[in-house]
Amino acid sequence: MKAGKRSPGHALLGAPIADRFLPTAVCLLPTTVLTADCFLPTADCSSTGTDETFQRLALAEARAALAHDDVPVGAVAVQGGRLIGRAHNQRELLRDPTAHAEMIALTQAAEAMGRWRLTGVTLYVTLEPCAMCAGAMVLARIDRLVYGATDPKAGAVESLYRLLDDPRLNHRVPATGGLLAEECGDLLVEFFRRRRSVKE
């Protein structure tokens, strides 16, 4: 970046922290080639009607990323049945490698609750979280995670690592995987299929 120029995120630094993240899109791993077997349903899917309702909101967030040609992953944070955070990836929009949907939703939840310790919060995500996001959930002390498709290439809940139930850490996060996994996975697979066809 040339001297004197500022990233889009800098223009928002004077705003309340939750307002720095715009409800318009961004990214996961744009250089990774993903195929249909990359996003798999998990066996553990004992969901309730309420879980499905909130997961569909996360899926709507994921779809919003398509308008910006970014990887469709969405997340919502809920406390006591109240929506306190909702986001999709904004990595490229903010030029910020940490701006995954989960991180932004957690930041919004902390702003709404007025504290960093997010006890009582359930996070709904369309894709199994990566190591960064899973670590943030442990640090935030959330009560529960619900996610859709697994991510064999980067997932840190059950695929590559098991950060949320690692006994060496000082907090465990119960996780339910596979909720609306097919819809969540299909959205990602179709996105990468279109991206590859354009490059060809």
Side-chain angles (χ1 to χ4, degrees):
M1 186 179 297
K2 293 182 180 179
K5 289 200 173 183
R6 312 181 85 188
S7 72
H10 286 143
L12 298 167
L13 289 179
I17 194 163
D19 294 339
R20 296 178 199 169
F21 305 107
L22 308 179
T24 49
V26 162
C27 187
L28 173 69
L29 296 172
T31 58
T32 303
V33 175
L34 301 170
T35 58
D37 60 352
C38 286
F39 306 106
L40 306 174
T42 65
D44 177 18
C45 187
S46 53
S47 62
T48 66
T50 301
D51 281 348
E52 182 171 338
T53 298
F54 288 122
Q55 185 71 336
R56 289 201 177 279
L57 291 177
L59 198 50
E61 282 293 322
R63 290 191 182 102
L66 296 173
H68 302 264
D69 195 32
D70 288 306
V71 178
V73 176
V76 300
V78 176
Q79 183 197 37
R82 185 171 66 100
L83 191 65
I84 59 173
R86 62 185 303 166
H88 43 274
N89 291 330
Q90 296 184 24
R91 241 177 29 170
E92 292 183 358
L93 181 67
L94 298 179
R95 302 176 190 176
D96 178 356
T98 70
H100 286 193
E102 302 96 314
M103 301 293 285
I104 298 169
L106 289 172
T107 298
Q108 292 173 343
E111 181 81 2
M113 296 175 70
R115 63 175 192 260
W116 66 264
R117 192 182 294 268
L118 303 182
T119 50
V121 170
T122 296
L123 192 68
Y124 296 84
V125 191
T126 57
L127 182 65
E128 179 184 2
C130 68
M132 173 182 69
C133 296
M137 292 172 208
V138 171
L139 293 173
R141 313 292 199 271
I142 70 169
D143 277 15
R144 182 172 172 245
L145 166 70
V146 177
Y147 64 94
T150 58
D151 186 355
K153 292 182 178 291
V157 177
E158 63 172 291
S159 295
L160 297 184
Y161 311 102
R162 299 190 63 92
L163 291 184
L164 298 189
D165 59 6
D166 190 321
R168 296 169 296 179
L169 301 178
N170 63 355
H171 180 69
R172 316 278 192 283
V173 178
T176 300
L179 183 57
L180 303 182
E182 188 172 354
E183 291 180 57
C184 296
D186 286 350
L187 190 63
L188 287 155
V189 169
E190 181 57 29
F191 173 82
F192 284 102
R193 184 179 292 124
R194 286 200 310 270
R195 175 173 282 187
R196 287 194 300 274
S197 68
V198 168
K199 287 182 179 178
E200 291 170 1

